[in-house]
Amino acid sequence: YVNNSLNLDNEIAFEILNFLGNNNGKEYKAGEIADELDCSYQLIWRRAQKLITREFVERKEINSRSYYSITEYGYNEILKRRGE
């Protein structure tokens, strides 16, 4: 876990990025991330849009469902802050 030095506008956005970074290479539905972070899938969806805009997270449509994963850029930014 790293501190929020990416200037994200709220803690949930940072927690989404951190969760996806800890699970690099995997894709998750908003509901799965919400269960892990104990919040609503709607909140995950809203915050993920901002992370997508900043190119930290990507969204893929599979069978009419959205799946989120961390981008290589987002993962590298987390690694920098962990000192790895």
Side-chain angles (χ1 to χ4, degrees), residues 17 20-21 24 51-52 54-59 68-77:
L17 189 61
L20 292 174
N24 186 28
L51 293 170
I52 290 167
R54 293 190 58 189
E55 299 180 357
F56 291 134
V57 170
E58 65 184 357
R59 181 175 62 99
Y68 299 91
S69 61
I70 195 164
T71 62
E72 184 176 345
Y73 171 70
Y75 188 66
N76 287 334
E77 288 299 308

Side-chain angles (χ1 to χ4, degrees), residues 7-68:
N7 297 319
L8 300 175
D9 60 353
N10 64 57
E11 190 66 24
I12 291 292
F14 177 71
E15 288 181 17
I16 294 167
L17 189 61
N18 198 55
F19 171 77
L20 292 174
N22 288 335
N23 296 284
N24 186 28
K26 297 182 182 177
E27 299 171 339
Y28 293 90
K29 293 183 283 189
E32 294 171 320
I33 300 169
D35 288 344
E36 199 62 37
L37 301 181
D38 196 29
C39 60
S40 71
Y41 74 90
Q42 295 97 335
L43 180 59
I44 298 299
W45 181 86
R46 279 194 305 270
R47 299 301 185 243
Q49 300 314 305
K50 292 181 181 185
L51 293 170
I52 290 167
T53 300
R54 293 190 58 189
E55 299 180 357
F56 291 134
V57 170
E58 65 184 357
R59 181 175 62 99
K60 293 181 183 174
E61 291 286 327
I62 303 171
N63 296 328
S64 300
R65 293 199 179 253
S66 295
Y67 288 82
Y68 299 91

